[in-house]
Amino acid sequence: MTERILKNCFIAIFLLLAKEIDAQDAGTIPSYKDSLRQALNDSMRVEFLWRIGFNFSQSDPDSGIFYAKKSYELSKRIKFVKGFGDSENIWAFSLASAGLYDSANVHYANALKHFQTLNDPCNTTVVLGNWGWNYLNHHEDVKGLECFLEAEKLDRACDSRGWKSTTYYNIGAAYNRMQDYNKATSYFDQAIEIDEIKKDSAKLA
């Protein structure tokens, strides 16, 4: 009984925190579309295309896929490797939102290869985080945890991005799903501590 209550508390806490770290905002899409029309070069257009796709990816996955494909096609035309990685990541995320689990896994694997080719640990971390949740959402908790733990190693090179607490939340959620509540508590505590420090720093700025 106690374990079940604890589990439910962890899930409730995580879902609350997840809302705070969700960076998607469909309200930004018109602004990105304006920026796309005014872009000075193709690499900028790639950036705006995948960002539009990102902000569509949960509310309208089909549109997310559409813009991710456009971004990928333009990246291919100009041989822009980072654009490949960003496009495949958003393509995968949109497919996952649409419930197309296996197809999403293919594109996450492609995105990972592109960012690894560039030796880009920060964007590799982003892909691993998204891919890990695709696994968790389909009850492949061990694979999800493996993605998050690998992201944790790479996060050390990305402290300036401020993603470490998100990675800790993810790891905590995976351990919680696996009913390892002690480890889940440890990672949730670390995430909360980091976020509290960030809030205090913002107040002092």
Side-chain angles (χ1 to χ4, degrees):
M1 180 69 174
T2 302
E3 277 196 351
R4 186 162 65 248
I5 292 171
L6 188 58
K7 177 182 177 182
N8 290 338
C9 286
F10 281 147
I11 292 171
I13 290 168
F14 180 77
L15 289 175
L16 177 63
L17 293 169
K19 290 178 183 178
E20 294 180 0
I21 61 175
D22 183 6
Q24 294 183 356
D25 182 1
T28 65
I29 291 171
S31 175
Y32 279 124
K33 286 184 175 180
D34 286 342
S35 297
L36 176 63
R37 284 190 288 270
Q38 298 169 28
L40 300 177
N41 56 58
D42 283 341
S43 60
M44 290 176 65
R45 292 184 185 94
V46 166
E47 177 91 7
F48 293 129
L49 283 166
W50 74 253
R51 287 191 179 277
I52 293 169
F54 169 70
N55 284 292
F56 267 129
S57 57
Q58 286 185 317
S59 60
D60 184 355
D62 288 342
S63 292
I65 293 166
F66 174 82
Y67 282 99
K69 285 182 177 179
K70 289 288 186 185
S71 177
Y72 182 86
E73 289 164 2
L74 182 53
S75 296
K76 188 174 181 179
R77 196 170 79 204
I78 64 174
K79 299 179 181 178
F80 184 28
V81 179
K82 183 181 181 296
F84 287 146
D86 288 325
S87 304
E88 294 263 24
N89 183 42
I90 301 309
W91 195 341
F93 195 86
S94 300
L95 287 165
S97 296
L100 299 171
Y101 167 74
D102 291 328
S103 296
N105 284 340
V106 170
H107 288 281
Y108 280 133
N110 291 341
L112 200 66
K113 288 176 184 175
H114 292 308
F115 287 129
Q116 287 172 337
T117 296
L118 292 171
N119 192 27
D120 183 342
C122 299
N123 281 306
T124 300
T125 296
V126 174
V127 176
L128 287 167
N130 290 339
W131 200 357
W133 272 105
N134 196 42
Y135 282 130
L136 250 62
N137 288 335
H138 291 83
H139 309 290
E140 293 198 60
D141 301 337
V142 173
K143 287 184 178 180
L145 178 61
E146 288 172 353
C147 286
F148 298 148
L149 291 173
E150 184 62 28
E152 182 188 15
K153 296 176 189 175
L154 297 171
D155 262 347
R156 296 164 193 165
C158 304
D159 284 345
S160 63
R161 299 278 189 106
W163 292 336
K164 192 174 291 295
S165 63
T166 301
T167 300
Y168 285 158
Y169 287 132
N170 292 345
I171 295 170
Y175 278 125
N176 181 64
R177 287 277 296 270
M178 297 164 72
Q179 300 184 7
D180 190 336
Y181 302 122
N182 288 333
K183 287 184 179 178
T185 301
S186 174
Y187 277 98
F188 282 140
D189 284 346
Q190 290 180 76
I192 291 167
E193 182 180 355
I194 291 170
D195 280 347
E196 288 300 321
I197 291 170
K198 283 195 284 189
K199 285 180 185 177
D200 290 343
S201 298
K203 288 177 184 176
L204 293 172

